[in-house]
Amino acid sequence: MSVILLCVLSLVLAGSGTGLHGRNASVSHEYCVLGAGPAGLQMGYFLSRSQRDYIILERNAGPGSFFQIYPRHRKLISINKIYTGRRNKEFNLRHDWNSLLSDRPNLLFKRISQELYPNADDFPRYLSTFVKELGLKVKYGADIGRIKASDFNGNQGYILTDQNGVSYQCSVLLVSTGLWVPQQVDFLGSDLVEGYESIPTDPEEFKDQAVLILGKGNSAFETAQSILGRASRIHLYSPSPVRLAWQTHYVGDLRAVNNELLDTYQLKSLDGLVEGRLEDIAIVRREKDGGKRRTAKKRSRTSTEGKEQLYLTLTELLDQNGNNISKVTGQNLPGFHTDNFSLRQPYDRVVRCLGFRFNFSIFDGSARPPQSSGARGRLPGITAWYEGRGMPNMFVLGTAAHSRDYRMSAGGFVHGFRYTVRAVHKILEQRYHNIAWPATKLPISQLQSWILRRVNEASGLYQMFGVLGDIILLRGSYCEYLEEFPLQAVPQLSALSGQPLTDHGLLVLVMQYGLNRTDTLGPGRAESEWTKAWRSNFLHPVLYYYNTLPTDKDMRQRPVGWPLPRPESVHHMVEDFLTEWDQPISHSQPLRRFLEHCLQTDLRAFYAESCFLLSLTSRTPPLFCRQGYLRKQGIVGNSHLWQHAREAGLMADHHGHITPGHDTSVSEYLKHADAAVVSTMNFDL
């Protein structure tokens, strides 16, 4: 009998989240990941692959709980383009905005949905599949209500306490809670406003109603679009004019999939946009018919007749001493003073759609990260390597880390932060486990082809434009290639990557938009002449060359809009309509000439006959001949290419036994990228 009771007690404790540790127990892990959203699970994958001691703590019963509620009208605006005409997995991630990174080629979002704009319910299903198939260590039902800093053997660690009193001690805290606290503005009458998080989603609830929406972001337009065919009048009010994503290149701005109200506004069909400070307004009640209430018998569910009307006014027009905003008169309304005031007509509902903010309340004074200077303080302040400012060993991941590239790049969205999370993991590996940032060792003669491969395939550079860049450490006859390093952390390159610097300088490869402001859809919006590549407006590769590593001061004084300080030399590869930088005259040749200028080396490629002749007639044959022809190195085909060449009669059968060399860094990269060639180069030059 006692055995049965013990089993029952164990099950009860496990169900309560305390396990056999009981209330006020303590659990220790090297890494605590707070939140099982996409950023937390992405970090969980990398920690699991590195066999680190970690736990992911999630307050809800499943992963991705934010997407169980938002967006309210259940349509994602993250692109799920599954047909690209390409089989290259890395390239295809450029157009897959929902999948997380893993070594499972079939663990992609397209397995769950093939819709270009999927239903929001599909994303938690995908995350659940991700957790299950990778065996990630997630503890659900752990609602962390307090986080405090503590000293662990001379280093700052963190103690997280859940609703059951269980404490989780961790040396490194990885915060990936996202943004879920509704952003609010305090103004008179704000209690009369409905929140985006609680409004009804049935359009019939808004039938023949006049609606004022506070905000002009995607949540505001999403709400407007859902009731566009039912509401009698929809006005959107906020301080800033609407910003269109296709104009700003920022995916957090208004997307075309949500902007039908722009048509009804510009075609004068009762809807519209107005600008004004939210802090200056007041929402007041005023009954119809001079304040005479109708009886409940005369009211109908769908009609607005007899309901209390809501007016937008200015606080300066109210007698706030009386403090009774329900009994306003005509003199209290802007329409009395300006008879063509845009918002003079009353509204049946006012809805707040102002986005979300980070939850600072769970951190006590010892562990609370500061608020960021941008994004209206909605985000925590972090360093260029995503560590909380003044909070050592606390890193912020995902949407909450968007302050580093707010309104500049895609770091606030899955298709962007999956790469910044990977970068943070590499930093963790170097700092806490002395494992240097992975680097590919390349002969200088192969650098151009490697760069071309990256600009044509790499998804991290493409999605996190202007934020992550490839670092090329020049070391004489060879170089070391580091992928997707945080650009704003370049002054700390050696410490964060574990890769030593030399006096040969470095190159930085970045994808970026042009700074020239043009009509996005007008004539002359694109540059096609390679000699004017620096005038490119659309996304294009840019190479920066530095003799020495830029300093923190250099970064602070960089030109406005530049991702990096002024270099010794810079090279823009002209924008391309197909985003394929592979043309010999417009792309390859200018790139080679730039590299030759920086390296002071002839990088031309030669046939074997030319190398033979140059070796007989020159004291110093070109580098390509020295590293390739004379030392029997270079690029050789894989088995598929050899077979094709033999079948075409271009090569004798005895060449078929040639196999790739032993440099795993190159061969693994090419294997991952579905490359058509593999390397047999000797990198010990």
Side-chain angles (χ1 to χ4, degrees):
M1 184 67 177
S2 60
V3 175
I4 296 175
L5 287 174
L6 181 61
C7 293
V8 172
L9 180 60
S10 300
L11 290 173
V12 171
L13 290 173
S16 68
T18 61
L20 294 177
H21 299 287
R23 187 172 292 275
N24 299 323
S26 179
V27 182
S28 295
H29 292 280
E30 184 177 13
Y31 296 96
C32 287
V33 182
L34 187 58
L41 298 183
Q42 184 66 86
M43 178 55 78
Y45 162 72
F46 290 118
L47 292 173
S48 178
R49 190 180 65 173
S50 301
Q51 299 182 340
R52 304 302 174 201
D53 173 26
Y54 77 96
I55 187 69
I56 303 174
L57 302 172
E58 169 58 45
R59 62 176 182 162
N60 293 291
S65 57
F66 179 88
F67 297 93
Q68 300 282 5
I69 305 173
Y70 305 109
R72 292 300 310 281
H73 300 90
R74 315 310 294 147
K75 185 176 186 178
L76 296 177
I77 57 175
S78 48
I79 293 173
N80 181 41
K81 189 176 179 68
I82 62 176
Y83 299 110
T84 66
R86 303 277 288 273
R87 294 185 178 181
N88 184 285
K89 295 184 289 292
E90 180 72 8
F91 173 86
N92 287 342
L93 280 172
R94 291 183 170 187
H95 311 287
D96 174 354
W97 289 14
N98 299 281
S99 295
L100 298 182
L101 306 176
S102 76
D103 55 2
R104 304 285 185 90
N106 66 333
L107 197 51
L108 300 174
F109 186 77
K110 66 180 181 181
R111 182 168 143 190
I112 303 297
S113 173
Q114 297 193 349
E115 297 295 322
L116 182 64
Y117 296 108
N119 186 282
D121 294 328
D122 293 333
F123 197 61
R125 288 175 50 215
Y126 168 70
L127 295 181
S128 296
T129 303
F130 192 85
V131 171
K132 181 179 179 180
E133 297 198 6
L134 293 173
L136 302 185
K137 300 174 184 177
V138 184
K139 182 175 181 180
Y140 298 110
D143 189 358
I144 302 300
R146 183 176 181 234
I147 300 174
K148 68 176 182 178
S150 182
D151 182 84
F152 296 157
N153 300 322
N155 296 313
Q156 181 164 307
Y158 297 89
I159 299 177
L160 292 68
T161 306
D162 70 10
Q163 77 278 22
N164 297 306
V166 178
S167 295
Y168 302 86
Q169 299 181 5
C170 48
S171 302
V172 182
L173 173 60
L174 303 166
V175 180
S176 55
T177 54
L179 308 179
W180 57 269
V181 179
Q183 174 76 358
Q184 301 188 42
V185 176
D186 187 23
F187 55 82
L188 200 61
S190 58
D191 58 313
L192 301 175
V193 175
E194 302 173 70
Y196 170 73
E197 66 277 7
S198 59
I199 58 171
T201 56
D202 181 2
E204 293 298 325
E205 293 284 334
F206 296 83
K207 186 176 180 180
D208 199 27
Q209 294 182 9
V211 181
L212 174 64
I213 298 177
L214 304 180
K216 293 198 193 86
N218 278 298
S219 61
F221 273 87
E222 167 209 327
T223 302
Q225 183 134 324
S226 71
I227 62 176
L228 204 56
R230 290 294 179 267
S232 61
R233 182 174 77 247
I234 305 173
H235 292 161
L236 274 68
Y237 184 92
S238 76
S240 303
V242 65
R243 291 181 289 239
L244 301 169
W246 53 266
Q247 287 181 323
T248 64
H249 308 302
Y250 175 61
V251 298
D253 285 335
L254 178 60
R255 304 286 300 285
V257 70
N258 281 331
N259 71 9
E260 288 181 15
L261 182 134
L262 296 182
D263 266 12
T264 59
Y265 169 39
Q266 290 296 321
L267 300 177
K268 306 310 294 179
S269 189
L270 299 180
D271 305 318
L273 311 176
V274 182
E275 284 72 54
R277 277 172 46 90
L278 293 173
E279 293 83 357
D280 297 337
I281 68 171
I283 301 297
V284 297
R285 286 182 295 203
R286 193 186 187 202
E287 295 179 1
K288 284 187 175 181
D289 300 326
K292 297 179 180 179
R293 292 179 179 270
R294 296 178 180 270
T295 62
K297 182 184 297 185
K298 294 183 179 180
R299 290 189 180 186
S300 64
R301 179 177 179 275
T302 57
S303 173
T304 63
E305 185 180 3
K307 291 185 178 180
E308 291 182 333
Q309 301 293 284
L310 299 176
Y311 285 82
L312 182 145
T313 186
L314 303 177
T315 54
E316 63 185 27
L317 299 179
L318 296 177
D319 178 14
Q320 298 186 42
N321 293 327
N323 206 25
N324 186 355
I325 62 174
S326 298
K327 301 299 182 180
V328 297
T329 64
Q331 289 88 339
N332 299 124
L333 303 178
F336 179 84
H337 305 274
T338 305
D339 64 358
N340 69 338
F341 177 64
S342 300
L343 306 181
R344 60 184 178 271
Q345 292 295 329
Y347 297 95
D348 298 291
R349 311 177 89 134
V350 180
V351 180
R352 167 182 40 78
C353 299
L354 300 175
F356 300 89
R357 62 184 297 111
F358 182 75
N359 181 20
F360 290 93
S361 66
I362 60 175
F363 299 87
D364 75 3
S366 65
R368 181 186 173 101
Q371 291 178 286
S372 62
S373 57
R376 301 186 299 279
R378 296 186 301 123
L379 303 170
I382 57 177
T383 66
W385 49 95
Y386 298 91
E387 191 170 16
R389 290 194 178 277
M391 291 293 119
N393 306 321
M394 176 195 292
F395 292 82
V396 183
L397 311 175
T399 303
H402 194 30
S403 61
R404 291 311 312 180
D405 64 312
Y406 182 66
R407 298 198 49 76
M408 294 188 298
S409 194
F413 313 92
V414 175
H415 65 287
F417 64 62
R418 61 191 178 193
Y419 303 104
T420 58
V421 169
R422 181 164 66 183
V424 170
H425 177 256
K426 292 176 182 178
I427 291 171
L428 299 178
E429 289 290 288
Q430 161 58 22
R431 178 184 292 188
Y432 302 111
H433 309 286
N434 201 31
I435 297 177
W437 194 288
T440 302
K441 198 173 181 181
L442 294 170
I444 289 298
S445 60
Q446 301 300 331
L447 178 58
Q448 177 186 350
S449 59
W450 200 266
I451 290 174
L452 288 172
R453 179 176 298 281
R454 290 288 294 168
V455 302
N456 282 291
E457 295 178 359
S459 57
L461 290 179
Y462 193 87
Q463 302 288 25
M464 287 305 297
F465 53 87
V467 176
L468 298 180
D470 287 357
I471 310 295
I472 304 162
L473 300 176
L474 304 175
R475 307 198 186 281
S477 62
Y478 71 97
C479 64
E480 290 190 284
Y481 200 106
L482 286 65
E483 297 178 5
E484 296 165 17
F485 188 86
L487 293 177
Q488 295 175 34
V490 163
Q492 290 78 32
L493 173 65
S494 183
L496 295 175
S497 70
Q499 297 289 351
L501 304 177
T502 69
D503 57 1
H504 291 283
L506 68 155
L507 290 160
V508 184
L509 174 62
V510 188
M511 300 287 282
Q512 63 186 68
Y513 283 93
L515 298 178
N516 304 312
R517 299 298 177 216
T518 60
D519 183 350
T520 312
L521 297 179
R525 60 184 178 269
E527 183 58 61
S528 59
E529 176 56 51
W530 68 268
T531 59
K532 299 178 182 177
W534 58 274
R535 297 176 58 180
S536 296
N537 294 310
F538 198 67
L539 193 66
H540 64 286
V542 184
L543 270 163
Y544 295 78
Y545 170 67
Y546 298 94
N547 288 326
T548 59
L549 191 69
T551 65
D552 285 320
K553 181 179 179 181
D554 294 332
M555 289 297 295
R556 290 193 299 270
Q557 296 179 347
R558 68 187 187 273
V560 176
W562 286 42
L564 289 165
R566 291 189 183 276
E568 274 70 42
S569 300
V570 64
H571 174 67
H572 291 254
M573 297 180 68
V574 67
E575 59 187 319
D576 187 79
F577 180 72
L578 301 175
T579 62
E580 296 176 355
W581 292 274
D582 56 2
Q583 296 306 294
I585 295 177
S586 295
H587 304 128
S588 299
Q589 182 172 294
L591 172 61
R592 176 177 63 80
R593 296 303 298 271
F594 172 74
L595 294 175
E596 289 177 338
H597 167 73
C598 296
L599 304 174
Q600 294 296 297
T601 302
D602 186 346
L603 296 179
R604 289 176 297 172
F606 298 89
Y607 289 108
E609 292 84 351
S610 299
C611 284
F612 177 73
L613 179 61
L614 289 167
S615 300
L616 293 177
T617 59
S618 174
R619 289 176 179 267
T620 307
L623 182 64
F624 181 89
C625 295
R626 298 200 307 272
Q627 291 186 335
Y629 176 75
L630 294 180
R631 299 186 186 182
K632 299 180 180 179
Q633 298 157 4
I635 297 294
V636 298
N638 59 19
S639 58
H640 297 289
L641 286 180
W642 287 119
Q643 182 64 26
H644 175 76
R646 288 195 299 272
E647 292 174 354
L650 301 175
M651 194 168 290
D653 288 340
H654 70 274
H655 287 290
H657 72 277
I658 297 179
T659 58
H662 302 291
D663 187 85
T664 57
S665 62
V666 178
S667 59
E668 283 300 314
Y669 176 89
L670 295 175
K671 177 182 178 182
H672 173 72
D674 282 354
V677 295
V678 292
S679 175
T680 61
M681 295 176 285
N682 177 9
F683 297 111
D684 299 323
L685 296 178

